[in-house]
Amino acid sequence: MLRIGNASGFYGDRFAAFREMLEQGPLDVLTGDYLAELTMLILARDRMKDPGLGYARTFLRQAEESLALALERGVRIVVNAGGLNPARLAAALAELADRQGLSARIAHVTGDDLLPRAAEFGRTDLLAANAYLGAGGIAACLTAGADVVVTGRVTDAALVVGPAMAHYGWGQGDLDALAGAVVAGHVLECGAQATGGNYAFFREHDITRPGFPIAEVYADGSSVITKHPGTGGAVTVETVTAQLLYETGGPRYLGPDVTARLDTVTLAEDGPDRVRIGGVRGEAPPATLKVGLNRLGGFRNEVVFVLTGLDIEAKADLVERQLTAELTDPPAEVRWTLVRTDRADADTEETASALLRLTVRDRDERRVGRAVTTAAVELALSGYPGFHVTAPPGPGSPYGVFESVAVDAKSVEHTAVLPDGTRLPIDAPAVTATTPDEAPELPALPRPLPEVPTRRAPLGLVVGARSGDKGGDANLGVWARSDAGWRWLAHTLTTDLLRELLPEAAELTLERHLLPNLRAVNFTLAGLLGEGVAAQARFDPQAKALGEWLRSRYVDIPEVLL
């Protein structure tokens, strides 16, 4: 059994978690996931200012206080904190080890940076272009004796799959084992989201300070998800289900090492704070790798007007007309959003107030900067009664655009740089799927519940949900809490009903996938997020709360479920 812990789910996660995971109990490997679509843009802008940057500097500070402890306890570290500059981070770690008098074998993985191939992608304005590498480079580094492995853009699950490959000697043909490790890696990748964080039924557990997750991975690829004893939060079938649904789509979960069949996953309680994952089937991976492209899309600005008391809509109309008249050269995109946070006969001024948000975007910074802020400020004494804004208007700020393309995996020079400096090429999988996007046979729907009395109530009383972003698309997973609930959910929550409950999705292309083993339906809402999180095209740009909005909507629910 190989114990793999996670201490970071994103760049900015709990700083102390790295040290705590080493101190709180035994581990064989400690991973940290620092990269996301938005993070790559942040790191690209860092690199523009200083070519020696481009990595997650937080990890270097964590290593300063934790590297000695990891070496003392024999815990190997695998992180993707290298971002756009894994070689520089590896060198900085070697310098740190020398300063502390430590003997650390440090390796890194490279080859994901495809920015020199920008013209191939039809763009000359890219800030970053990175292929999502698999786990082979990590495995090679660990097999060569590395204590620390730093990567750039690999798949999040690769941080778990790589150590398991090295430990058990799996090859490219061990598809079921690899798929099981991918599922375990997906559960771990977002840190405390597997132990009660962002969990729909959070009131059932103490998540004041949840611990971080651990996967006990076995030779056949099965695993047990748990956490260190005495740490906060909870590991249950439902917390693991929630994370499995996060940022996934259909039954086939494509990856560079294997395609994991999410419709084969089984979950079972294995004791307090222990959930066993088994049954995972794997198929050959696609012949291509996903490449994330980041570029600047233009500039944006935002002003939020506070409207208090009576005549809210008339006040909103007045300020919109006044400001529109002042913008003689208006930005390319102007959006007004009235958020009715006000209440009638309110006993505080804040609860008597609504917010009117003005968002502007343009390729020309001048059109969203002083021209907008000056026009807004000049209305202060000539506008609606009670005029004020939530913050002083500022200059425009750049926004990013993320998109993805596919390239032949064999055209990417995936390389493991071993502790002694040897550069070891990592071969792409020899056997790949010819139709990786072909949907598997649809599972049969469960028997519907018989006709029973219903009551109109919030959907979230009987189902959980977890949502997130994939580029410009949103993912929304919904699961039932019982077999009876699944029989109702599978027949009730159709794409048509979802359009009614979430009017923002009414005109979008929606996909619905059934995952009976998880008692879940998983939706993809194409284009809900525009050009991705960095473009901030929506109030909730990463769709983090989309599931909670759905759970708050009223539907007719069988009383037997309530």
Side-chain angles (χ1 to χ4, degrees):
M1 180 260 287
L2 181 70
R3 291 165 296 190
I4 306 175
N6 172 281
S8 176
F10 70 102
Y11 190 15
D13 209 344
R14 188 190 307 168
F15 183 87
F18 223 91
R19 185 188 69 253
E20 290 170 354
M21 285 295 284
L22 292 168
E23 293 174 338
Q24 291 167 343
L27 291 172
D28 299 304
V29 179
L30 183 57
T31 68
D33 181 5
Y34 294 81
L35 302 184
E37 293 166 2
L38 179 61
T39 315
M40 300 303 278
L41 180 65
I42 293 170
L43 296 178
R45 295 183 65 191
D46 283 351
R47 186 172 62 176
M48 288 174 63
K49 299 172 187 175
D50 181 348
L53 296 178
Y55 57 85
R57 286 175 280 177
T58 298
F59 171 69
L60 194 57
R61 302 202 324 269
Q62 289 171 313
E64 191 167 0
E65 66 173 41
S66 300
L67 180 57
L69 180 58
L71 294 171
E72 176 189 328
R73 300 199 169 187
V75 178
R76 304 169 94 175
I77 295 173
V78 180
V79 296
N80 61 15
L84 303 180
N85 205 342
R88 180 65 195 110
L89 178 56
L93 286 169
E95 294 164 6
L96 168 63
D98 286 344
R99 289 198 306 271
Q100 295 187 349
L102 303 173
S103 176
R105 293 165 294 184
I106 298 169
H108 68 278
V109 177
T110 188
D112 61 296
D113 187 357
L114 302 188
L115 191 57
R117 295 169 59 176
E120 178 183 330
F121 309 129
R123 303 216 65 99
T124 58
D125 56 351
L126 294 179
L127 297 181
N130 295 83
Y132 286 67
L133 301 180
I138 296 171
C141 291
L142 293 172
T143 300
D147 299 307
V148 181
V149 181
V150 172
T151 78
R153 178 73 276 186
V154 296
T155 64
D156 299 339
L159 302 177
V160 169
V161 179
M165 288 176 66
H167 185 75
Y168 292 115
W170 298 335
Q172 293 181 356
D174 294 308
L175 296 177
D176 290 347
L178 290 169
V182 164
V183 170
H186 180 60
V187 173
L188 258 60
E189 71 186 48
C190 289
Q193 278 195 174
T195 58
N198 285 344
Y199 176 56
F201 305 104
F202 68 97
R203 293 191 298 174
E204 297 177 0
H205 307 288
D206 180 6
I207 62 164
T208 305
R209 199 171 192 272
F212 276 64
I214 299 168
E216 299 174 355
V217 182
Y218 295 86
D220 63 353
S222 65
S223 62
V224 171
I225 306 300
T226 184
K227 61 188 183 70
H228 283 316
T231 56
V235 178
T236 70
V237 165
E238 288 193 79
T239 67
V240 173
T241 295
Q243 178 55 26
L244 278 176
L245 296 174
Y246 181 65
E247 295 184 348
T248 58
R252 282 193 167 98
Y253 189 55
L254 305 184
D257 301 302
V258 66
T259 295
R261 286 288 297 268
L262 298 182
D263 54 341
T264 63
V265 176
T266 62
L267 304 178
E269 297 285 355
D270 193 56
D273 291 316
R274 292 178 62 83
V275 172
R276 182 170 292 278
I277 300 176
V280 186
R281 298 297 304 276
E283 298 173 347
T288 58
L289 294 180
K290 174 183 173 181
V291 181
L293 307 179
N294 280 280
R295 59 184 170 87
L296 287 181
F299 298 85
R300 71 183 301 278
N301 206 347
E302 183 174 285
V303 183
V304 181
F305 301 89
V306 182
L307 315 174
T308 305
L310 304 177
D311 304 318
I312 294 295
E313 292 186 3
K315 290 171 179 173
D317 178 67
L318 174 60
V319 71
E320 182 175 344
R321 284 188 288 110
Q322 288 182 310
L323 198 140
T324 299
E326 294 299 320
L327 296 177
T328 55
D329 185 18
E333 182 180 331
V334 179
R335 185 168 62 228
W336 296 87
T337 308
L338 178 59
V339 184
R340 296 300 300 264
T341 53
D342 57 302
R343 295 204 299 264
D345 194 24
D347 57 4
T348 68
E349 182 178 337
E350 190 169 5
T351 55
S353 300
L355 302 176
L356 177 65
R357 179 178 290 106
L358 166 64
T359 305
V360 294
R361 301 204 305 176
D362 199 285
R363 296 286 297 179
D364 188 338
E365 185 176 8
R366 294 171 299 177
R367 287 198 181 97
V368 302
R370 184 176 296 277
V372 172
T373 58
T374 297
V377 169
E378 288 179 348
L379 294 177
L381 303 182
S382 57
Y384 61 86
F387 180 104
H388 67 286
V389 294
T390 57
S397 59
Y399 71 87
V401 173
F402 174 88
E403 58 186 316
S404 64
V405 297
V407 299
D408 185 340
K410 294 179 180 178
S411 74
V412 175
E413 297 179 356
H414 185 176
T415 303
V417 183
L418 306 183
D420 64 1
T422 300
R423 300 180 67 86
L424 181 66
I426 304 300
D427 293 333
V431 178
T432 58
T434 54
T435 55
D437 296 324
E438 182 180 290
E441 183 178 344
L442 292 176
L445 287 168
R447 288 184 301 110
L449 283 181
E451 290 290 333
V452 293
T454 62
R455 174 153 47 96
R456 198 150 185 83
L459 180 61
L461 294 183
V462 295
V463 303
R466 173 70 62 78
S467 57
D469 64 313
K470 275 295 181 186
D473 300 342
N475 146 251
L476 173 57
V478 184
W479 77 90
R481 310 201 76 187
S482 66
D483 289 340
W486 169 237
R487 291 171 61 187
W488 174 76
L489 177 67
H491 290 274
T492 302
L493 192 55
T494 61
T495 54
D496 288 341
L497 180 59
L498 190 69
R499 293 180 200 277
E500 292 179 25
L501 297 177
L502 306 182
E504 289 183 37
E507 304 301 321
L508 301 178
T509 298
L510 307 183
E511 291 183 3
R512 176 182 187 255
H513 303 281
L514 295 178
L515 297 171
N517 286 3
L518 302 178
R519 296 192 301 222
V521 290
N522 213 4
F523 294 94
T524 299
L525 292 73
L528 180 70
L529 307 179
E531 295 172 305
V533 54
Q536 300 185 55
R538 186 177 177 273
F539 165 67
D540 175 16
Q542 288 183 282
K544 293 290 189 181
L546 184 68
E548 288 303 291
W549 177 26
L550 176 67
R551 293 181 67 241
S552 73
R553 298 308 309 269
Y554 278 60
V555 296
D556 294 322
I557 300 175
E559 291 185 352
V560 293
L561 300 182
L562 293 166

